[in-house]
Amino acid sequence: MSVLIKGGTVVNAEQSLRADVICDGGLITAVGTDLDAPSGATVIDAGGQYVMPGGIDPHTHMQLPFMGTVASEDFESGTSAGLAGGTTMIIDFVIPGPQQNLMEAYKQWREWAEKSVSDYSFHVAITWWDDSVHDDMGTLVRDHGVNSFKHFMAYKGAIMADDEILVNSFARSLELGAIPTVHAENGELVFRLQKELFEKGITGPEGHPLSRPPECEGEAANRAIRIAEVLKVPVYIVHNSCRQSLEAITRARNEGQRVFGEVLAGHLLVDDSIYRHKDFDVAAAHVMSPPFRSSEHQDALWKGLQSGNLQTTATDHCCFCADQKAAGKDDFRLIPNGTGGVENRMEVLWHHGVNTGKLTMNEFVKVTSTNAAQIFNIYPRKGSVAVGADADIVVWDPEATKTISTKTDHQKVDYNIFEGMEITGCPSHTISQGNVVYANGKLDVERGAGRYIDRPPFAPFYDALQKQAQLAEPVAVKR
Ligand code: URQ
Ligand code: ZN
Ligand code: ZN
């Protein structure tokens, strides 16, 4: 299928220019003025619209088995919802249980993801440690295109990584040319605060944010950053929700340490008063970790994006419906943690970021696509409207208006954390692998069309270490 996107303004991270775009064979084959349509091409009139790299959401959990249930969104419906919102690639997570073989878990998630309708990749979580984990990390980098390893510093008694795991895995990541990423909350402190609150009789969702104060996040973010500093490895902090973790990142970056920070659309726009809502279902629908915070933290996070101290935006799309959240009806600790948003990330960021002047259009492209592509080493294949790049494109109508609601959502969750939000600016068309998969409100996707995207290691480390290993091999001395 070939597509001519005519009359639009191409907006990349570095520049905007009036140009037509031709996609053919899954790639962008031409970017220029007054291009003619190849014979049989689909022509999209992009007059008055912006032609941007498809969004990359570097943090989703489709059909995640978690806290005794399974997330309601699967890879087919979740990637479809992403396309409806202009996101053309997700990076999800393989999360082995403690003592579970990494390759077995990786194989399981690869099977689950085969039904995806758009491209995807996986961070692999390190939830335990022994020599087999060390070796499997190497196999995943060398043979399976994994260049990032996740560490949950929260979730004691489940998937929490202690300092021993962090230190071993961070060091191994450096050897392999991979980047460690962390969910930064002090799991021991959270566990204790949860217990104290519950024993005091605070059992409802209002206990959730009380048990996870921003100081717990700031401590863990700083600890992960300091471990990375000593081991001389880059580090990526996922879903920063507060001033304290941002301060840890900013300090390190100001000292030249290679630290990256991610922020969720939800943490920029939803505040913690929701946990005191009289309706349990509404409050529980917002239980995710780290929790939504007060406006003080939202303001700090916006400044983090504007200053460049936070580089990517994501959703942590991990959906649980009311019947699942009800598991914590009498004990907030049992409410499955997670909220949706993969369909709304770009439009809420455009409305509250670009329309308000907080972000330029180019900065919007950086934080919704290009930076994630560069950090996870798939740029310029992804994250750019340029000849030779994958034809993953969103045609953005800056005048279109909508009111966000589960009633019109494609994502499979019964509560939208942005419910009722009126926005201006959203996709008119989404192109994935050169196919028009979303046009004027209608999806036209194919189950299984999504591809697993290999993310190469940051070669210099890996190659150098391989050479070093060969040199170190004892050479048999001929007598
Ligand atoms: O912690 C995560 O990122 C996963 C388990 C999704 N849930 C959440 O509350 N963030
Ligand atoms: Zn997390
Ligand atoms: Zn997550």
PDB file of all heavy atoms in Angstrom, residues 29-60:
ATOM      1  N   THR A  29       9.262   7.067   2.029  1.00  0.00           N
ATOM      2  CA  THR A  29      10.137   7.055   0.848  1.00  0.00           C
ATOM      3  C   THR A  29      10.392   8.455   0.298  1.00  0.00           C
ATOM      4  O   THR A  29      11.299   8.633  -0.529  1.00  0.00           O
ATOM      5  CB  THR A  29       9.513   6.191  -0.271  1.00  0.00           C
ATOM      6  OG1 THR A  29       8.168   6.667  -0.499  1.00  0.00           O
ATOM      7  CG2 THR A  29       9.462   4.717   0.129  1.00  0.00           C
ATOM      8  N   ALA A  30       9.572   9.432   0.716  1.00  0.00           N
ATOM      9  CA  ALA A  30       9.843  10.801   0.222  1.00  0.00           C
ATOM     10  C   ALA A  30       9.245  11.814   1.186  1.00  0.00           C
ATOM     11  O   ALA A  30       8.151  11.591   1.726  1.00  0.00           O
ATOM     12  CB  ALA A  30       9.243  11.000  -1.170  1.00  0.00           C
ATOM     13  N   VAL A  31       9.965  12.902   1.402  1.00  0.00           N
ATOM     14  CA  VAL A  31       9.462  14.043   2.184  1.00  0.00           C
ATOM     15  C   VAL A  31       9.857  15.282   1.385  1.00  0.00           C
ATOM     16  O   VAL A  31      11.055  15.517   1.159  1.00  0.00           O
ATOM     17  CB  VAL A  31      10.096  14.119   3.587  1.00  0.00           C
ATOM     18  CG1 VAL A  31       9.580  15.358   4.337  1.00  0.00           C
ATOM     19  CG2 VAL A  31       9.803  12.854   4.389  1.00  0.00           C
ATOM     20  N   GLY A  32       8.872  16.008   0.879  1.00  0.00           N
ATOM     21  CA  GLY A  32       9.222  17.156   0.027  1.00  0.00           C
ATOM     22  C   GLY A  32       7.979  17.925  -0.374  1.00  0.00           C
ATOM     23  O   GLY A  32       6.860  17.571   0.001  1.00  0.00           O
ATOM     24  N   THR A  33       8.192  18.984  -1.165  1.00  0.00           N
ATOM     25  CA  THR A  33       7.028  19.823  -1.550  1.00  0.00           C
ATOM     26  C   THR A  33       6.483  19.363  -2.888  1.00  0.00           C
ATOM     27  O   THR A  33       7.224  18.876  -3.759  1.00  0.00           O
ATOM     28  CB  THR A  33       7.475  21.305  -1.665  1.00  0.00           C
ATOM     29  OG1 THR A  33       8.691  21.334  -2.402  1.00  0.00           O
ATOM     30  CG2 THR A  33       7.707  21.913  -0.280  1.00  0.00           C
ATOM     31  N   ASP A  34       5.169  19.502  -3.010  1.00  0.00           N
ATOM     32  CA  ASP A  34       4.472  19.211  -4.275  1.00  0.00           C
ATOM     33  C   ASP A  34       4.801  17.835  -4.833  1.00  0.00           C
ATOM     34  O   ASP A  34       5.140  17.679  -6.001  1.00  0.00           O
ATOM     35  CB  ASP A  34       4.811  20.303  -5.325  1.00  0.00           C
ATOM     36  CG  ASP A  34       4.456  21.691  -4.785  1.00  0.00           C
ATOM     37  OD1 ASP A  34       3.477  21.767  -3.997  1.00  0.00           O
ATOM     38  OD2 ASP A  34       5.175  22.658  -5.103  1.00  0.00           O
ATOM     39  N   LEU A  35       4.739  16.839  -3.979  1.00  0.00           N
ATOM     40  CA  LEU A  35       5.011  15.464  -4.434  1.00  0.00           C
ATOM     41  C   LEU A  35       3.789  14.917  -5.157  1.00  0.00           C
ATOM     42  O   LEU A  35       2.647  15.204  -4.783  1.00  0.00           O
ATOM     43  CB  LEU A  35       5.336  14.578  -3.229  1.00  0.00           C
ATOM     44  CG  LEU A  35       6.594  14.940  -2.412  1.00  0.00           C
ATOM     45  CD1 LEU A  35       6.794  13.924  -1.288  1.00  0.00           C
ATOM     46  CD2 LEU A  35       7.823  15.001  -3.316  1.00  0.00           C
ATOM     47  N   ASP A  36       4.028  14.113  -6.183  1.00  0.00           N
ATOM     48  CA  ASP A  36       2.922  13.459  -6.896  1.00  0.00           C
ATOM     49  C   ASP A  36       2.629  12.109  -6.242  1.00  0.00           C
ATOM     50  O   ASP A  36       3.549  11.422  -5.782  1.00  0.00           O
ATOM     51  CB  ASP A  36       3.294  13.231  -8.376  1.00  0.00           C
ATOM     52  CG  ASP A  36       3.451  14.581  -9.098  1.00  0.00           C
ATOM     53  OD1 ASP A  36       2.701  15.520  -8.702  1.00  0.00           O
ATOM     54  OD2 ASP A  36       4.339  14.684  -9.969  1.00  0.00           O
ATOM     55  N   ALA A  37       1.351  11.742  -6.271  1.00  0.00           N
ATOM     56  CA  ALA A  37       0.945  10.471  -5.670  1.00  0.00           C
ATOM     57  C   ALA A  37       1.401   9.320  -6.558  1.00  0.00           C
ATOM     58  O   ALA A  37       1.171   9.342  -7.763  1.00  0.00           O
ATOM     59  CB  ALA A  37      -0.565  10.440  -5.524  1.00  0.00           C
ATOM     60  N   PRO A  38       2.062   8.318  -5.952  1.00  0.00           N
ATOM     61  CA  PRO A  38       2.355   7.108  -6.734  1.00  0.00           C
ATOM     62  C   PRO A  38       1.028   6.514  -7.225  1.00  0.00           C
ATOM     63  O   PRO A  38      -0.021   6.728  -6.595  1.00  0.00           O
ATOM     64  CB  PRO A  38       3.009   6.178  -5.711  1.00  0.00           C
ATOM     65  CG  PRO A  38       3.413   7.041  -4.565  1.00  0.00           C
ATOM     66  CD  PRO A  38       2.487   8.204  -4.553  1.00  0.00           C
ATOM     67  N   SER A  39       1.066   5.775  -8.326  1.00  0.00           N
ATOM     68  CA  SER A  39      -0.214   5.246  -8.858  1.00  0.00           C
ATOM     69  C   SER A  39      -0.849   4.318  -7.819  1.00  0.00           C
ATOM     70  O   SER A  39      -0.177   3.538  -7.156  1.00  0.00           O
ATOM     71  CB  SER A  39       0.038   4.483 -10.167  1.00  0.00           C
ATOM     72  OG  SER A  39       0.771   3.326  -9.862  1.00  0.00           O
ATOM     73  N   GLY A  40      -2.145   4.520  -7.631  1.00  0.00           N
ATOM     74  CA  GLY A  40      -2.905   3.672  -6.708  1.00  0.00           C
ATOM     75  C   GLY A  40      -2.759   4.080  -5.255  1.00  0.00           C
ATOM     76  O   GLY A  40      -3.300   3.435  -4.364  1.00  0.00           O
ATOM     77  N   ALA A  41      -2.033   5.182  -5.031  1.00  0.00           N
ATOM     78  CA  ALA A  41      -1.784   5.567  -3.630  1.00  0.00           C
ATOM     79  C   ALA A  41      -3.048   6.094  -2.969  1.00  0.00           C
ATOM     80  O   ALA A  41      -3.907   6.680  -3.624  1.00  0.00           O
ATOM     81  CB  ALA A  41      -0.693   6.644  -3.580  1.00  0.00           C
ATOM     82  N   THR A  42      -3.151   5.881  -1.695  1.00  0.00           N
ATOM     83  CA  THR A  42      -4.185   6.541  -0.882  1.00  0.00           C
ATOM     84  C   THR A  42      -3.692   7.955  -0.609  1.00  0.00           C
ATOM     85  O   THR A  42      -2.528   8.135  -0.221  1.00  0.00           O
ATOM     86  CB  THR A  42      -4.354   5.786   0.459  1.00  0.00           C
ATOM     87  OG1 THR A  42      -4.769   4.458   0.158  1.00  0.00           O
ATOM     88  CG2 THR A  42      -5.352   6.478   1.362  1.00  0.00           C
ATOM     89  N   VAL A  43      -4.536   8.953  -0.848  1.00  0.00           N
ATOM     90  CA  VAL A  43      -4.100  10.342  -0.606  1.00  0.00           C
ATOM     91  C   VAL A  43      -4.832  10.897   0.611  1.00  0.00           C
ATOM     92  O   VAL A  43      -6.061  10.803   0.700  1.00  0.00           O
ATOM     93  CB  VAL A  43      -4.376  11.232  -1.835  1.00  0.00           C
ATOM     94  CG1 VAL A  43      -3.912  12.670  -1.562  1.00  0.00           C
ATOM     95  CG2 VAL A  43      -3.641  10.656  -3.054  1.00  0.00           C
ATOM     96  N   ILE A  44      -4.059  11.409   1.553  1.00  0.00           N
ATOM     97  CA  ILE A  44      -4.643  12.041   2.745  1.00  0.00           C
ATOM     98  C   ILE A  44      -4.435  13.546   2.628  1.00  0.00           C
ATOM     99  O   ILE A  44      -3.296  14.003   2.450  1.00  0.00           O
ATOM    100  CB  ILE A  44      -3.959  11.526   4.026  1.00  0.00           C
ATOM    101  CG1 ILE A  44      -4.257  10.038   4.239  1.00  0.00           C
ATOM    102  CG2 ILE A  44      -4.393  12.337   5.249  1.00  0.00           C
ATOM    103  CD1 ILE A  44      -3.507   9.407   5.412  1.00  0.00           C
ATOM    104  N   ASP A  45      -5.520  14.298   2.684  1.00  0.00           N
ATOM    105  CA  ASP A  45      -5.403  15.763   2.646  1.00  0.00           C
ATOM    106  C   ASP A  45      -5.072  16.240   4.066  1.00  0.00           C
ATOM    107  O   ASP A  45      -5.917  16.212   4.956  1.00  0.00           O
ATOM    108  CB  ASP A  45      -6.735  16.373   2.193  1.00  0.00           C
ATOM    109  CG  ASP A  45      -6.681  17.915   2.265  1.00  0.00           C
ATOM    110  OD1 ASP A  45      -5.592  18.453   2.624  1.00  0.00           O
ATOM    111  OD2 ASP A  45      -7.716  18.558   1.994  1.00  0.00           O
ATOM    112  N   ALA A  46      -3.818  16.657   4.233  1.00  0.00           N
ATOM    113  CA  ALA A  46      -3.355  17.058   5.576  1.00  0.00           C
ATOM    114  C   ALA A  46      -3.304  18.568   5.716  1.00  0.00           C
ATOM    115  O   ALA A  46      -2.619  19.107   6.594  1.00  0.00           O
ATOM    116  CB  ALA A  46      -1.982  16.440   5.856  1.00  0.00           C
ATOM    117  N   GLY A  47      -4.029  19.253   4.841  1.00  0.00           N
ATOM    118  CA  GLY A  47      -4.032  20.731   4.887  1.00  0.00           C
ATOM    119  C   GLY A  47      -4.423  21.217   6.280  1.00  0.00           C
ATOM    120  O   GLY A  47      -5.379  20.732   6.866  1.00  0.00           O
ATOM    121  N   GLY A  48      -3.627  22.121   6.837  1.00  0.00           N
ATOM    122  CA  GLY A  48      -3.919  22.682   8.153  1.00  0.00           C
ATOM    123  C   GLY A  48      -3.605  21.727   9.292  1.00  0.00           C
ATOM    124  O   GLY A  48      -3.928  21.995  10.452  1.00  0.00           O
ATOM    125  N   GLN A  49      -2.975  20.609   8.989  1.00  0.00           N
ATOM    126  CA  GLN A  49      -2.678  19.601  10.028  1.00  0.00           C
ATOM    127  C   GLN A  49      -1.168  19.380  10.138  1.00  0.00           C
ATOM    128  O   GLN A  49      -0.398  19.819   9.292  1.00  0.00           O
ATOM    129  CB  GLN A  49      -3.383  18.288   9.693  1.00  0.00           C
ATOM    130  CG  GLN A  49      -4.901  18.416   9.604  1.00  0.00           C
ATOM    131  CD  GLN A  49      -5.574  17.068   9.462  1.00  0.00           C
ATOM    132  OE1 GLN A  49      -5.576  16.254  10.394  1.00  0.00           O
ATOM    133  NE2 GLN A  49      -6.125  16.810   8.291  1.00  0.00           N
ATOM    134  N   TYR A  50      -0.796  18.692  11.212  1.00  0.00           N
ATOM    135  CA  TYR A  50       0.622  18.421  11.461  1.00  0.00           C
ATOM    136  C   TYR A  50       0.893  16.935  11.214  1.00  0.00           C
ATOM    137  O   TYR A  50       0.081  16.088  11.580  1.00  0.00           O
ATOM    138  CB  TYR A  50       0.984  18.821  12.887  1.00  0.00           C
ATOM    139  CG  TYR A  50       0.760  20.301  13.133  1.00  0.00           C
ATOM    140  CD1 TYR A  50      -0.230  20.732  14.022  1.00  0.00           C
ATOM    141  CD2 TYR A  50       1.474  21.263  12.422  1.00  0.00           C
ATOM    142  CE1 TYR A  50      -0.473  22.082  14.221  1.00  0.00           C
ATOM    143  CE2 TYR A  50       1.238  22.614  12.616  1.00  0.00           C
ATOM    144  CZ  TYR A  50       0.267  23.020  13.505  1.00  0.00           C
ATOM    145  OH  TYR A  50       0.030  24.367  13.682  1.00  0.00           O
ATOM    146  N   VAL A  51       2.020  16.676  10.590  1.00  0.00           N
ATOM    147  CA  VAL A  51       2.407  15.303  10.247  1.00  0.00           C
ATOM    148  C   VAL A  51       3.603  14.948  11.131  1.00  0.00           C
ATOM    149  O   VAL A  51       4.700  15.498  10.952  1.00  0.00           O
ATOM    150  CB  VAL A  51       2.767  15.210   8.754  1.00  0.00           C
ATOM    151  CG1 VAL A  51       3.141  13.787   8.373  1.00  0.00           C
ATOM    152  CG2 VAL A  51       1.590  15.710   7.897  1.00  0.00           C
ATOM    153  N   MET A  52       3.360  14.090  12.135  1.00  0.00           N
ATOM    154  CA  MET A  52       4.362  13.863  13.181  1.00  0.00           C
ATOM    155  C   MET A  52       4.718  12.380  13.289  1.00  0.00           C
ATOM    156  O   MET A  52       3.938  11.513  12.883  1.00  0.00           O
ATOM    157  CB  MET A  52       3.806  14.347  14.533  1.00  0.00           C
ATOM    158  CG  MET A  52       3.404  15.813  14.518  1.00  0.00           C
ATOM    159  SD  MET A  52       2.974  16.470  16.128  1.00  0.00           S
ATOM    160  CE  MET A  52       1.352  15.777  16.364  1.00  0.00           C
ATOM    161  N   PRO A  53       5.873  12.095  13.878  1.00  0.00           N
ATOM    162  CA  PRO A  53       6.210  10.686  14.109  1.00  0.00           C
ATOM    163  C   PRO A  53       5.150  10.054  15.008  1.00  0.00           C
ATOM    164  O   PRO A  53       4.681  10.683  15.962  1.00  0.00           O
ATOM    165  CB  PRO A  53       7.556  10.745  14.832  1.00  0.00           C
ATOM    166  CG  PRO A  53       8.108  12.099  14.540  1.00  0.00           C
ATOM    167  CD  PRO A  53       6.928  13.007  14.380  1.00  0.00           C
ATOM    168  N   GLY A  54       4.775   8.824  14.704  1.00  0.00           N
ATOM    169  CA  GLY A  54       3.825   8.130  15.577  1.00  0.00           C
ATOM    170  C   GLY A  54       4.350   8.079  17.007  1.00  0.00           C
ATOM    171  O   GLY A  54       5.563   8.016  17.236  1.00  0.00           O
ATOM    172  N   GLY A  55       3.432   8.155  17.963  1.00  0.00           N
ATOM    173  CA  GLY A  55       3.855   8.149  19.361  1.00  0.00           C
ATOM    174  C   GLY A  55       4.475   6.811  19.758  1.00  0.00           C
ATOM    175  O   GLY A  55       4.124   5.762  19.225  1.00  0.00           O
ATOM    176  N   ILE A  56       5.427   6.894  20.686  1.00  0.00           N
ATOM    177  CA  ILE A  56       6.000   5.681  21.302  1.00  0.00           C
ATOM    178  C   ILE A  56       5.679   5.765  22.786  1.00  0.00           C
ATOM    179  O   ILE A  56       6.052   6.734  23.453  1.00  0.00           O
ATOM    180  CB  ILE A  56       7.530   5.615  21.104  1.00  0.00           C
ATOM    181  CG1 ILE A  56       7.874   5.546  19.610  1.00  0.00           C
ATOM    182  CG2 ILE A  56       8.127   4.404  21.845  1.00  0.00           C
ATOM    183  CD1 ILE A  56       9.373   5.682  19.313  1.00  0.00           C
ATOM    184  N   ASP A  57       4.949   4.783  23.298  1.00  0.00           N
ATOM    185  CA  ASP A  57       4.654   4.747  24.729  1.00  0.00           C
ATOM    186  C   ASP A  57       5.600   3.728  25.357  1.00  0.00           C
ATOM    187  O   ASP A  57       5.445   2.525  25.137  1.00  0.00           O
ATOM    188  CB  ASP A  57       3.197   4.316  24.967  1.00  0.00           C
ATOM    189  CG  ASP A  57       2.804   4.429  26.441  1.00  0.00           C
ATOM    190  OD1 ASP A  57       3.707   4.446  27.309  1.00  0.00           O
ATOM    191  OD2 ASP A  57       1.575   4.506  26.715  1.00  0.00           O
ATOM    192  N   PRO A  58       6.624   4.201  26.090  1.00  0.00           N
ATOM    193  CA  PRO A  58       7.670   3.290  26.573  1.00  0.00           C
ATOM    194  C   PRO A  58       7.297   2.546  27.849  1.00  0.00           C
ATOM    195  O   PRO A  58       8.174   1.925  28.472  1.00  0.00           O
ATOM    196  CB  PRO A  58       8.855   4.234  26.822  1.00  0.00           C
ATOM    197  CG  PRO A  58       8.228   5.533  27.198  1.00  0.00           C
ATOM    198  CD  PRO A  58       6.923   5.618  26.444  1.00  0.00           C
ATOM    199  N   HIS A  59       5.994   2.608  28.227  1.00  0.00           N
ATOM    200  CA  HIS A  59       5.640   1.992  29.507  1.00  0.00           C
ATOM    201  C   HIS A  59       4.180   1.545  29.498  1.00  0.00           C
ATOM    202  O   HIS A  59       3.269   2.328  29.826  1.00  0.00           O
ATOM    203  CB  HIS A  59       5.876   3.003  30.631  1.00  0.00           C
ATOM    204  CG  HIS A  59       5.830   2.397  31.986  1.00  0.00           C
ATOM    205  ND1 HIS A  59       6.517   2.896  33.070  1.00  0.00           N
ATOM    206  CD2 HIS A  59       5.169   1.318  32.461  1.00  0.00           C
ATOM    207  CE1 HIS A  59       6.261   2.150  34.153  1.00  0.00           C
ATOM    208  NE2 HIS A  59       5.456   1.195  33.797  1.00  0.00           N
ATOM    209  N   THR A  60       3.950   0.271  29.113  1.00  0.00           N
ATOM    210  CA  THR A  60       2.589  -0.303  29.164  1.00  0.00           C
ATOM    211  C   THR A  60       2.678  -1.706  29.768  1.00  0.00           C
ATOM    212  O   THR A  60       3.743  -2.317  29.817  1.00  0.00           O
ATOM    213  CB  THR A  60       1.981  -0.428  27.749  1.00  0.00           C
ATOM    214  OG1 THR A  60       2.790  -1.316  26.968  1.00  0.00           O
ATOM    215  CG2 THR A  60       1.901   0.938  27.061  1.00  0.00           C
TER     216      THR A  60
END
